[in-house]
Amino acid sequence: MAERRRIAVVPGDGIGKEVIAEGRALLVELDRAMSLGLELVDKDWGADRYLETGRGMPEDALDDLRDNYDAVYFGALGDDRIPDMAHGREILLGMRFGLDLWANVRPVKVLDPALCPLKDKGPDDVDMVIFRENTEDLYVAVGGTFKEGTPDEVAVDQSVNSRKGVERIVRHAFDYAQKTGRKKVTMSDKSNAVRYGGGLWQRVFQEVQKDFPDIAADHLFVDVAAMEMVRAPERFDVVVCNNLFGDILSDLGAALIGSLGLAASGNIHPGRIGLFEPVHGSAPDIAGQGVANPMAAFLTAAMMLEFLEVQPAADAIRQAVQGAIEQRQVTPDLGGQGTTQSVSAHVREACLAIVAG
Ligand code: ATP
């Protein structure tokens, strides 16, 4: 009997509902074929619920997730009827901070060379994983304004970096590199100008790298890192940085893949719970048309299965997605004529064939 793995499935809004339905169907099939022990529990958290009840999710949702779940498979939030995204703050930020999901993980791998915007660069050149610290730095809302609304107005945001927070993300990046056979971890900061936080990152990085003698440790100031990701992406293998720089570099990374429809991400508290979501949003402009690209949702499912330590299932999904792209079984955003359903059916069948050997 396989170990039980309990997953909350939160499609959310817009195309989140369409692509997560397909990802869910794939997970069900894989579970049947491989006895993964997955238990999928559907959650209706999103704009509709918020508009009906005034809350996007039940009050005890975070406690329930913390106590009873291993992962969250998440779609997207965003709805024209809630322009200030109040439900997004409640649900997504609630989970990020409430579950202390301190590692944001974004694989950056070119799957379709035709989409890579860089000249003469392809899958061998653009293949890295970015680890962004997800709970500290400038995002903690420590600060304030002085003389607000006057010509003398001053605004201050403090960047908070704790030794614990920095060490756990740096160590996690090295651990990941070691486990997955990657060779190098690049830490990126701005310690030449931002003295105190940068100094802490430098000291911690130098300490932690000693525990991983087989992994090369590299450092780039973040302005240079941004330049190098475009000029020479093959320099990067695993990247680790603070919240703000990670936010920027990971979006740069998504651009290198060439399509939002192929970018997956995880928000993880290692050893406890992980929330996995496609990088794209709810895409109201194409919602309901059956043309949303489901690949990011599939690759997101693969990341989640890797986190749940069922690597063969994750590998099968990635191989099936790669095969579908090579056979041009893709949606219009990738230049194909497929629908969400037809592309998904193709990936599902391919995946099951791979698993069946
Ligand atoms: P949100 O506010 O929820 O982030 P958005 O539309 O502003 O929504 P995205 O959802 O990320 O931002 O979409 C940006 C653009 O990319 C849109 O034109 C959208 O149609 C397109 N897009 C995003 N995801 C996909 C997808 N999976 N398949 C096809 N096109 C997509």
Side-chain angles (χ1 to χ4, degrees), residues 15 19 76-78 260-261 279-286 291-294 296 331 333:
I15 65 165
V19 298
L77 290 173
L260 269 178
V279 171
H280 66 74
S282 62
D285 55 328
I286 57 163
V291 293
N293 185 347
T331 41
D333 58 303

Side-chain angles (χ1 to χ4, degrees), residues 7-264:
I7 301 167
V9 180
V10 186
D13 306 330
I15 65 165
K17 290 183 184 160
E18 298 165 48
V19 298
I20 294 301
E22 299 296 346
R24 188 193 193 288
L26 177 61
L27 288 169
V28 168
E29 295 279 356
L30 276 177
D31 187 38
R32 197 171 293 148
M34 302 176 82
S35 301
L36 302 175
L38 304 185
E39 186 185 340
L40 304 174
V41 182
D42 298 305
K43 308 284 185 188
D44 66 349
W45 307 343
D48 291 338
R49 185 190 172 104
Y50 180 84
L51 289 168
E52 273 164 35
T53 67
R55 285 193 62 100
M57 69 205 295
E59 236 163 282
D60 65 349
L62 293 181
D63 290 335
D64 187 31
L65 287 176
R66 204 177 293 118
D67 295 343
N68 302 313
Y69 287 84
D70 302 298
V72 181
Y73 185 44
F74 188 83
L77 290 173
D79 188 295
D80 294 344
R81 295 168 297 170
I82 314 174
D84 66 353
M85 274 290 277
H87 71 307
R89 279 197 301 281
E90 179 199 342
I91 301 171
L92 195 50
L93 295 186
M95 286 195 280
R96 274 197 198 149
F97 286 96
L99 300 175
D100 195 22
L101 304 175
W102 49 263
N104 181 275
V105 188
R106 292 246 206 127
V108 176
K109 184 170 168 55
V110 166
L111 297 179
D112 183 349
L115 291 173
C116 181
L118 304 179
K119 200 167 104 198
D120 302 329
K121 303 287 180 189
D124 293 339
D125 307 299
V126 184
D127 181 5
M128 67 187 93
V129 182
I130 300 178
F131 288 82
R132 163 188 173 191
E133 200 293 320
N134 212 22
T135 50
E136 301 193 340
D137 190 21
L138 282 167
Y139 294 67
V140 295
V142 174
T145 53
F146 178 53
K147 298 187 180 176
E148 191 176 321
T150 75
D152 298 326
E153 180 165 341
V154 175
V156 177
D157 288 288
Q158 302 275 9
S159 167
V160 172
N161 300 265
S162 70
R163 173 168 272 276
K164 178 179 157 188
V166 177
E167 185 175 343
R168 64 188 181 180
I169 190 74
V170 169
R171 190 168 288 285
H172 186 57
F174 275 100
D175 270 337
Y176 174 88
Q178 194 165 58
K179 260 192 213 144
T180 55
R182 288 186 177 262
K183 305 273 180 272
K184 177 162 78 169
V185 175
T186 302
M187 190 274 275
S188 189
D189 66 10
K190 191 66 190 162
S191 52
N192 49 347
V194 184
R195 262 176 77 187
Y196 304 109
L200 176 62
W201 275 81
Q202 285 285 341
R203 287 193 302 279
V204 169
F205 188 65
Q206 278 156 24
E207 279 169 33
V208 172
Q209 65 183 250
K210 291 190 190 126
D211 295 336
F212 297 87
D214 300 336
I215 311 280
D218 185 26
H219 170 260
L220 287 176
F221 294 123
V222 68
D223 43 350
V224 180
M227 218 162 53
E228 288 297 276
M229 273 177 69
V230 172
R231 199 190 63 83
E234 62 279 3
R235 279 189 71 162
F236 297 91
D237 197 353
V238 172
V239 179
V240 63
C241 48
N242 73 15
N243 208 339
L244 178 65
F245 300 150
D247 192 358
I248 297 166
L249 290 185
S250 57
D251 268 18
L252 174 53
L256 299 184
I257 298 173
S259 170
L260 269 178
L262 294 174

